């Protein structure tokens, strides 16, 4: 089922706010709600041959369909022949691409500095006889290990280091070698970056993060051009049953309506926080792609329309970072990112990320910028004692 636009009021030239508010809405029907409520159904009335769109709840659900249309309109506005499939989590979405496209004897290239669950995926891929190669995101290092690969997975910006690679360049290099390209678009969101327009075959993401933005939904999705690769992803979802509940899908669709407002507020405040941290003697390794002097800024400015809500930096020691986090009043110490309430954590506590013990990932929320900047600077000063 294609996820092309269902609302005729959205034109390809519409602004991001207009698109987010109206994406995926069905055509209006008198006395019906503008966004139909969640459909809770394991099965549907199905007399005769099973030729309709909805047969069994593991395969399709009307609530998913509306959400899939909405995400597709954000990821690939105005493009026909694009499909979106929603999943129970971001890792379910990423895994569906990896395990549906790869077979024993194939090779895949993964980011060496990506999300901390990727080593788990790597171990499983290798157990299935798939060769896994890794390379860092920065400087397009994946090109050096592409020969003979079946699939390239890009994470740009990378999490948590915020490095950026040239997606268009990597996609062209991968396609020239016969490889498919998937881009993890979680940190950028479709309003910050559109991987399919940059040449990728798949855009995958965790909708748990800024797409839905309230820290109360686990969700993932894959968007790609209609064809055998997406058919394989759909088949994999059916086999493993990695499907979202209808309530989660409905809440996600509702939340997307405010995406542009949240993203613009959070991105602007993230830049303000990064600028406030710049030059602070206790802060090292400050990263935010929106800073003009950030190592990723030049490439990011060529392919991103917004730079994200995450700022990363390091303090001298684990103890200093923990004192800083404890001193914050407007920032919750929690994992994940992208929510309307700011969060931060010392990433080294999880293991798996190649970061210093004092490395902090700060996810900027929708608080007033002045209040958040003041809180961060005050916590820095208190953590010195």
């Amino acid at each position: 089922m294609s996820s092309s636009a269902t609302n005729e009021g959205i034109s390809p030239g519409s602004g991001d706010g207009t698109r987010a508010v109206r994406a995926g809405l069905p055509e209006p029907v008198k006395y019906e709600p503008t966004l139909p409520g969640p459909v809770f159904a394991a099965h549907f009335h199905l007399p005769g041959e099973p030729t309709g769109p909805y047969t069994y709840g593991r395969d399709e659900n009307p609530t998913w369909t509306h959400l899939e249309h909405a995400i597709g309109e954000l990821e690939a506005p105005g493009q026909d022949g694009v499909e979106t499939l929603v999943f129970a989590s971001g890792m379910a979405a990423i895994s569906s691409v990896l395990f549906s496209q790869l077979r024993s004897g194939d090779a895949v290239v993964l980011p060496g500095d990506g999300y901390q669950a990727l080593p788990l995926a790597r171990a499983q891929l290798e157990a299935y006889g798939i060769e896994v190669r890794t390379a860092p995101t920065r400087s397009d290092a994946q090109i050096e290990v592409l020969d003979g690969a079946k699939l390239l997975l890009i994470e740009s910006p990378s999490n948590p280091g915020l490095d950026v690679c040239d997606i268009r360049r990597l996609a062209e290099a991968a396609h020239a070698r016969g490889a498919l390209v998937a881009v993890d678009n979680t940190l950028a969101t479709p309003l910050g970056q559109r991987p399919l327009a940059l040449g990728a075959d798949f855009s995958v993401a965790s909708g748990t993060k800024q797409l839905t933005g309230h820290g109360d939904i686990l969700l993932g999705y894959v968007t790609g051009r209609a064809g055998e690769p997406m058919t394989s992803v759909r088949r994999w979802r059916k086999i493993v049953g990695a499907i979202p509940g209808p309530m989660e899908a409905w809440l996600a669709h509702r939340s997307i309506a405010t995406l542009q407002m949240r993203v613009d507020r959070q991105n602007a405040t993230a830049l303000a926080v990064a600028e406030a941290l710049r030059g602070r003697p206790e802060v090292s390794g400050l990263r935010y792609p929106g800073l003009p002097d950030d190592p990723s800024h030049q490439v990011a400015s060529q392919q991103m329309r917004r730079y994200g809500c995450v700022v990363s930096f390091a303090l001298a020691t684990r103890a200093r970072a923990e004192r800083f986090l404890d001193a914050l009043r407007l920032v919750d110490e929690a994992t994940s990112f992208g929510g309307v309430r700011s969060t931060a954590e010392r990433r080294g506590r999880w293991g798996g990320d190649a970061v210093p013990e004092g490395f902090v990932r700060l996810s900027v929320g929708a608080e007033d910028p002045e209040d958040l900047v003041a809180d961060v600077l005050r916590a820095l000063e208190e953590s010195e004692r």
Side-chain angles (χ1 to χ4, degrees):
M1 182 177 297
S2 173
S3 61
S4 58
T6 59
N7 192 303
E8 295 178 357
I10 304 178
S11 68
S14 296
D16 287 339
T18 300
R19 189 170 302 282
V21 166
R22 304 203 63 81
L25 298 182
E27 291 301 315
V29 176
K30 191 174 183 178
Y31 306 126
E32 293 292 320
T34 54
L35 177 61
V39 175
F40 299 100
H43 57 262
F44 301 82
H45 287 296
L46 199 63
E49 293 300 315
T51 57
Y54 303 107
T55 58
Y56 186 63
R58 189 182 67 250
D59 299 338
E60 293 289 353
N61 177 290
T63 310
W64 302 352
T65 300
H66 293 312
L67 174 60
E68 288 168 347
H69 287 166
I71 294 171
E73 290 166 12
L74 297 177
E75 283 279 355
Q79 295 186 35
D80 294 326
V82 171
E83 293 183 278
T84 293
L85 298 170
V86 290
F87 289 81
S89 69
M91 277 308 299
I94 291 171
S95 296
S96 76
V97 172
L98 294 173
F99 293 104
S100 69
Q101 305 304 312
L102 298 167
R103 304 288 183 272
S104 179
D106 288 341
V108 61
V109 178
L110 302 182
D113 52 349
Y115 181 54
Q116 66 171 182
L118 286 180
L120 300 176
R122 174 178 184 166
Q124 193 61 55
L125 289 165
E126 291 176 336
Y128 288 156
I130 296 164
E131 178 189 353
V132 179
R133 307 169 187 168
T134 61
T137 299
R138 192 172 181 179
S139 302
D140 303 341
Q142 298 96 323
I143 288 179
E144 302 301 320
V145 292
L146 272 177
D147 286 349
K150 178 76 176 294
L151 176 69
L152 166 65
L153 175 64
I154 294 168
E155 189 175 287
S156 182
S158 62
N159 173 28
L162 303 183
D163 275 322
V164 171
C165 58
D166 187 333
I167 294 173
R168 191 182 301 277
R169 180 187 180 210
L170 285 169
E172 290 174 354
H175 290 156
R177 292 162 171 81
L180 294 170
V181 178
V183 176
D184 187 330
N185 206 34
T186 302
L187 204 147
T189 82
L191 298 194
Q193 181 171 268
R194 292 187 177 129
L196 269 60
L198 296 170
D201 300 289
F202 305 101
S203 179
V204 303
S206 168
T208 307
K209 313 299 194 297
Q210 197 171 20
L211 184 80
T212 57
H214 292 79
D216 53 8
I217 303 168
L218 286 173
L219 191 84
Y221 70 85
V222 180
T223 298
R225 304 191 190 285
E228 179 53 34
M230 281 299 289
T231 298
S232 296
V233 173
R234 182 183 294 275
R235 186 183 306 117
W236 184 260
R237 183 179 71 172
K238 178 182 176 73
I239 292 169
V240 301
I243 58 174
M247 191 66 191
E248 287 79 3
W250 185 85
L251 286 170
H253 196 172
R254 180 207 62 173
S255 299
I256 285 175
T258 62
L259 179 61
Q260 184 261 346
M261 291 183 287
R262 290 186 281 106
V263 164
D264 282 352
R265 175 63 171 259
Q266 290 170 263
N267 283 213
T269 305
L271 179 59
V273 169
E275 289 174 336
L277 292 173
R278 188 202 248 151
R280 295 281 304 200
E282 64 271 68
V283 170
S284 63
L286 175 66
R287 297 300 304 273
Y288 182 67
L291 285 172
D293 57 352
D294 186 272
S296 292
H297 181 73
Q298 182 176 355
V299 175
S301 64
Q302 294 169 359
Q303 63 191 24
M304 298 183 73
R305 298 179 301 131
R306 296 171 174 87
Y307 298 108
C309 64
V310 175
V311 178
S312 68
F313 58 93
L315 298 175
T317 65
R318 169 178 176 168
R320 178 74 187 270
E322 290 174 345
R323 291 198 301 271
F324 166 73
L325 294 168
D326 188 59
L328 291 165
R329 296 172 184 166
L330 298 180
V331 182
D332 296 329
E333 189 171 355
T335 195
S336 197
F337 58 85
V340 291
R341 288 171 289 279
S342 293
T343 59
E345 68 171 339
R346 190 183 65 81
R347 283 299 291 177
R349 65 180 177 170
W350 296 102
D353 289 321
V355 295
E357 282 293 304
F359 182 95
V360 174
R361 185 182 70 184
L362 172 62
S363 172
V364 172
E367 298 89 356
D368 287 302
E370 299 82 2
D371 293 339
L372 189 59
V373 168
D375 190 46
V376 168
L377 295 181
R378 179 196 50 75
L380 272 180
E381 292 172 359
E382 288 189 11
S383 68
E384 190 175 7
R385 301 167 192 166

